[in-house]
Every structure is written in structure tokens, then in C-alpha cells.
Amino acid sequence: MASFNKVILIGNFTADPELRQTPSGISVCRFTLAVNRRYSRSNNAEGQNGSAQQTADFITVVAWRQSADFIARYFKKGRPILVCGQLQSRSWTDQQGAKHYSTEVVADEVSFVESKSDAAGAGSTGGNNTQYTPDAYGTPAYSNADTAANFEELPADDSLPF
């Protein structure tokens, strides 16, 4: 039987991410995301339609190695992030014999949701609000002298078979 376990989330950090190291020196970052649910209309006790309400789920995410370092460096409380990963459940017994269960997302990929200029405009970077524009996004420069040598002349459309 086939199985599939893929989680894609966009949410906001509820607190600054916590970066730690395992005894063998591997980075691990744990954080909680607030992910809004779609609006839903619910019926009240009398069976009448209630008003639309938005709720949020608070989801624990764990990232390892380079992803963990990336998150700890570039993300803070309140910032949005995109996380792709897998849902993982685990259980353990504490020293008092009580059984505990945890379900979390183990991140495979993480990414920015907003541009750097949006982040600077939000004021959470704590610095100046200068806008960064890489050279790759500038207006391209064209030169007709260089391109003419790279093209070959095609016969008129009358000679084409279609």
C-alpha cells in the first residue's frame, strides 16, 4: 500500500526560534508557527448561523543542520515563513513513568515568504529601511552590433511546407 506524508505551511513565528546543538555538533532548531485557518461559519446552540471567525493552529516545527542555522539567522518572532516537511509523531515515558505524545513537522525545506523590502518596511529588522535591488533585476542593456552576428537569415515563409 502506498503512503504519502507531505506538509506545506505558511505561518508566523510565535517566538524567536531556538537553535541548539546535539552532543555530536548537529544544529537543531525548534519553533512554533501560528497558521491561520480559513474563515468558517459555525452554527450556534440555537442552530442559527454564527458570524465568520478566524482561528489559528499552533504547530511545532523542527529543522536540522543547514535549515536550522538558516532559520535562526534570518527569522524572528512575528515573521512569516514557508515550511515544507513531514508530519512525525513520537512518544516517550518520563522519569515519573508518565507517557507523553508529540506530533510535529520535521522541515525538509524552508523559505522566505516576503521580500527583504517588505521586511524592512515592517520595522522588525531594527536598521535602516534602505531597499536592496540586486543587479540581476536591473534593466538589461542590449547592443545590436553583438546580436546581429549571432543570428542566421531564414528563407521567406513561402518556402516553408506548412
Side-chain angles (χ1 to χ4, degrees), residues 140-153:
Y142 296 104
S143 172
N144 289 336
D146 295 337
T147 58
N150 295 333
F151 291 100
E152 88 178 63
E153 187 85 24

Side-chain angles (χ1 to χ4, degrees), residues 9-72:
L9 300 169
I10 295 179
N12 295 331
F13 282 82
T14 61
D16 288 346
E18 298 176 22
L19 180 66
R20 296 188 180 173
Q21 302 281 325
T22 65
S24 59
I26 297 172
S27 297
V28 60
C29 184
R30 179 177 299 273
F31 55 94
T32 303
L33 288 183
V35 180
N36 291 330
R37 286 194 205 172
R38 295 177 185 243
Y39 288 111
S40 63
R41 295 191 184 270
S42 59
N43 293 335
N44 59 20
E46 291 82 32
Q48 300 170 349
N49 285 337
S51 61
Q53 295 182 13
Q54 186 172 7
T55 59
D57 292 309
F58 297 91
I59 300 170
T60 302
V61 181
V62 178
W64 294 86
R65 295 176 177 79
Q66 291 88 357
S67 293
D69 295 331
F70 172 76
I71 292 165

Side-chain angles (χ1 to χ4, degrees), residues 79-109:
R79 308 298 310 178
I81 189 172
L82 172 110
V83 175
C84 297
Q86 300 177 30
L87 196 60
Q88 177 179 300
S89 297
R90 57 189 176 94
S91 62
W92 69 95
T93 304
D94 65 13
Q95 293 176 347
Q96 290 76 30
K99 188 94 171 176
H100 296 274
Y101 299 92
S102 174
T103 302
E104 56 200 13
V105 173
V106 178
D108 295 328
E109 302 172 48

